[in-house]
Structure formats: structure tokens, C-alpha cells
Amino acid sequence: MPRTPSTVRTPYGSRAPYVPYPSFTSFVKARGPVLLRAARSLTANPSDAEDLLQTALTKTYVAWERIEDHRALDGYVRRALLNTRTSQWRKRKVDEFACDELPEQETVPGPDPAERQSLHDAMWRAVLKLPDRQRAMVVLRYYEDLSEAQTAEVLGVSIGTVKSAVSRALGKLRQDPELTPVR
């Protein structure tokens, strides 16, 4: 049974002739921007709003032949938007579960800060006991993290000199009685 054009009330109260949408595509082209604004009001993210509208329009397309009154299409899509958003909200993953006891995390106790500071101070006292040249090489190699070649270049000596001086310095540090607990 063909429908005859009737009149619809516009937002400003006047009456305008109603022309049904001949196809789903024409409906989307005509009402897409308005429906996208409605979707954006339901979500915080514009891309989520676009996805929400696509899902609602897919549902509308599937039901297109069953919708008799095309004047109700906006309401149909808005209801699909709302229902889809509600379903998404209900299906969201919940990572927290209520329980009677809080699970205790097993933590490995770290070194005592006082012990670390004590060891640090003992190491510096031992380094300060080294001769100036050895001290400079140890500091550049291990505290400044320079390579043997970079240390040799900074001090103006050969790489072999750096290797032998650092080796002797480490031997003296191993002999230091303050650093005995470290081994």
C-alpha cells in the first residue's frame, strides 16, 4: 500500500510536507551529521562516537525493510545508539574483584639504605687512598663509565697504561680492610 505524503511538524512548530527517504543511503546522507552529534553526546571520544554510529546504522540497515514509518527513523537510530552504548558499557571488562582479604604482594626486601650509604662511603674512602693517577683512571673508567680508549685519551696516556694502572688499583681496593664485607 503506497504511502501518501503527509505533513510533519518542524522544530519551529510549522508544518512541512514529509518526503520519505527513498533509500538507506539517502537517509544517511541527509541525517548523518545530526546523528553523529547525538553519538558524540553519548561518548567522550570522537572516534568512539563514529564507531557507535556505524553500529547503530548497521542495525538500522538490517531493519530497513521492516520500518514502516520513515518519520520515525531518527528515533529508531537514536534508540539504537543508546541501546548499543548501554550494551558496550555493560560488557566492559572489569579488572577488579571484591574480596574479603587483600592479597599481599610478595616483595623482595631491597638493601637497607643505611647499609648502601655506608658501603658507598667506605668505597670512596678506599678510592681516595689510591695514588692520584690510579684514582683518576678508576673514576673515569667506573664512575664516569668511559672506555679504556676514552680514558687514555682524556689522560694523555696509552691504553696499556690505563689497563695496567686500573688493574693495580683494583688489586689495592680488594686488599682494603674496610671493603672486606663486600666480598
Side-chain angles (χ1 to χ4, degrees), residues 86-105:
T86 303
S87 294
Q88 289 172 347
W89 177 78
R90 286 180 179 156
K91 290 178 185 176
R92 76 179 191 279
K93 185 177 178 184
V94 178
D95 291 334
E96 296 179 16
F97 300 98
C99 58
D100 293 334
E101 294 180 25
L102 292 176
E104 296 297 326
Q105 294 183 3

Side-chain angles (χ1 to χ4, degrees), residues 10-39:
T10 63
Y12 299 106
S14 63
R15 293 197 175 265
Y18 170 73
V19 180
Y21 296 102
S23 69
F24 179 75
T25 306
S26 63
F27 168 73
V28 173
K29 284 181 182 176
R31 301 301 296 163
V34 173
L35 295 170
L36 182 59
R37 281 195 303 273

